[in-house]
Amino acid sequence: MATPTPEEQAGEAFAAAAAEAVQTSVMAFRLVMAIADAVRRQQQKKAGKEEELPPAEKASTEASEEVKKFLPPDISAALMDGADWPQLAQQLMALRNAGVDLEAMLPRVGEITATVRDAVTANAERVAREGTDTWAKMLRETMPAGPVREAILSSPAWPDMAATMAKLDERGVDVRAILASAHEEGVGVDQAVAKVLAAAEVPTTSRDAMLSYGPLTTGLDIPKDLDLSDRERALRQLAITPQENQKYTRMVREAMPGMEREADLLVASKQWPLIATRMERMERDGKPVAEHLARLSKDTSWQEGPKTQMGGRLVQAANDALRKGIGGPATESRVKVNTTAARSQSPSVGPTKATVSKGAAPTQPAVAPHREAGPVAKGGKIR
């Protein structure tokens, strides 16, 4: 057998690289379809109207026409030659049956796959295999909180999606860009399916989301339909993985030595997912979470008050401890603030010093000498 010429070897190498690029673009198509199908299922499940996939044979015939029409020829051919084509075809037809306009969606997905194909051709392969936690973090950083991100993390196909992301990343593909594009498609799928199900296209703000607005959620990415009554779902909505939740639980317990019961009370509170989310955000920003949490054992003012309300005080104290900067002057937790005294000192509600009538018994609690009111000039007016 004759030895291949340099030109033939170069041609074979180019063909192999091109085939790899096409197969990688097919993986990207599968990923986008898996995300879109997860959103469809989630929306229908919420409405109690989840539908089964259409028959594979009929779906394959109908989907092949759509794919050939809107995807590049090399990618559409590779898709239909794949062993999983019947399943992909079923997903496509299920999306169409659920109200998604494939003539609008497929051209955009085609652009994604073509971009991936070209990226693989232009980039050398690199090895960086990671676990699902890495990709969950990427989801959190790339996709805003909402139905698309929740659908991905709750889908049975999530481990396969994460594995696909790892393979795409190994081949030089910008996975963040794909996720950003897939998120837009997922939002479209969510709205289209919701419309068919006669549900609101834009989710209304849940009671938990409204009640959490303020110090507990300042600077955090919170979905409008936050459901704190379902711990597992709330953590999923906030993109906190089970491993991260275990780590943050352990950090709280380590920060409160000898107070295991109180630490467990904090973790068991309804608002714990929000505390865990702030801890994750601080870690991402490079802040010393453990140092902040240590304040819970140094300032125990949260222990004062009815025991039945201790969980709420702990949540507030933990949030205060995490939000206050390190190294500044020590201040008491907001949990211990005397609202009456604070109101009397506020310039928005009256003078900074209270006027006491001569001979009248004081009605305010005793205060430290440096906060006592000075003598009031006779006949003076307060403005």
Side-chain angles (χ1 to χ4, degrees):
M1 183 175 179
T3 302
T5 65
E7 290 78 9
E8 289 173 335
Q9 290 178 337
E12 290 175 2
F14 177 81
E20 180 186 4
V22 169
Q23 288 303 318
T24 305
S25 67
V26 168
M27 284 195 294
F29 182 91
R30 291 181 184 129
L31 175 60
V32 175
M33 284 300 102
I35 290 173
D37 190 60
V39 174
R40 173 191 68 83
R41 288 177 181 275
Q42 180 83 348
Q43 186 60 261
Q44 291 180 333
K45 186 176 181 181
K46 285 181 181 178
K49 298 179 181 179
E50 186 173 358
E51 298 177 1
E52 295 296 326
L53 294 173
E57 187 174 350
K58 181 181 179 182
S60 296
T61 302
E62 295 177 356
S64 62
E65 297 176 5
E66 302 287 347
V67 167
K68 288 177 183 177
K69 191 188 304 182
F70 297 111
L71 266 62
D74 54 347
I75 295 174
S76 60
L79 273 173
M80 292 184 288
D81 286 342
D84 63 343
W85 166 244
Q87 181 183 354
L88 286 172
Q90 286 177 301
Q91 289 177 342
L92 275 170
M93 292 303 98
L95 288 170
R96 186 191 67 179
N97 295 343
V100 177
D101 185 357
L102 294 183
E103 292 192 5
M105 179 183 183
L106 281 176
R108 295 193 295 264
V109 179
E111 291 179 11
I112 295 172
T113 58
T115 300
V116 170
R117 177 194 60 196
D118 297 341
V120 175
T121 303
N123 287 281
E125 184 173 346
R126 62 189 175 87
V127 179
R129 189 173 301 276
E130 302 286 353
T132 59
D133 278 4
T134 295
W135 305 109
K137 289 181 181 179
M138 183 175 286
L139 276 179
R140 181 191 297 122
E141 295 167 2
T142 307
M143 292 187 174
V148 178
R149 194 170 78 181
E150 183 190 355
I152 294 171
L153 293 174
S154 63
S155 172
W158 163 239
D160 292 334
M161 292 186 210
T164 299
M165 292 180 205
K167 290 178 183 177
L168 291 171
D169 185 61
E170 287 174 12
R171 299 184 184 186
V173 176
D174 186 349
V175 179
R176 291 178 184 273
I178 294 180
L179 289 176
S181 299
H183 175 260
E184 294 179 9
E185 298 307 320
V187 170
V189 170
D190 179 72
Q191 293 177 345
V193 177
K195 190 174 183 179
V196 171
L197 295 173
E201 292 190 22
V202 179
T204 57
T205 304
S206 68
R207 177 176 172 79
D208 283 337
M210 287 190 291
L211 292 177
S212 301
Y213 180 78
L216 267 180
T217 57
T218 299
L220 301 182
D221 184 19
I222 303 298
K224 282 187 174 183
D225 59 343
L226 179 65
D227 183 8
L228 292 175
S229 63
D230 184 336
R231 171 64 62 91
E232 185 177 344
R233 186 190 175 199
L235 290 170
R236 191 168 61 237
Q237 285 182 300
L238 297 165
I240 299 295
T241 66
Q243 293 80 6
E244 287 175 323
N245 186 48
Q246 291 173 6
K247 178 175 72 173
Y248 299 143
T249 298
R250 184 174 62 253
M251 289 176 71
V252 167
R253 288 172 178 158
E254 291 173 352
M256 302 174 69
M259 294 181 279
E260 291 76 13
R261 177 183 171 279
E262 288 80 358
D264 289 345
L265 195 61
L266 171 59
V267 173
S269 67
K270 186 178 181 180
Q271 291 79 17
W272 165 250
L274 297 174
I275 299 298
T277 301
R278 188 168 297 284
M279 292 168 70
E280 185 282 325
R281 179 58 186 265
M282 291 176 67
E283 276 195 326
R284 201 171 354 136
D285 293 342
K287 295 180 180 178
V289 178
E291 279 188 53
H292 283 263
L293 287 175
R295 291 168 167 165
L296 290 173
S297 59
K298 294 176 181 177
D299 176 8
T300 58
S301 56
W302 47 264
Q303 292 179 335
E304 300 174 11
K307 289 187 177 180
T308 55
Q309 300 173 10
M310 186 177 290
R313 294 197 302 273
L314 272 166
V315 168
Q316 195 174 349
N319 190 57
D320 288 350
L322 291 170
R323 294 186 65 201
K324 289 177 184 175
I326 293 289
T331 55
E332 287 186 324
S333 166
R334 266 180 262 171
V335 180
K336 195 179 178 181
V337 170
N338 183 319
T339 55
T340 303
R343 194 176 294 112
S344 70
Q345 297 294 325
S346 172
S348 64
V349 296
T352 57
K353 295 183 180 181
T355 302
V356 181
S357 299
K358 200 170 186 179
T363 57
Q364 296 294 329
V367 294
H370 67 280
R371 292 198 177 186
E372 288 181 353
V376 179
K378 191 173 181 181
K381 293 184 180 179
I382 297 173
R383 290 194 291 178

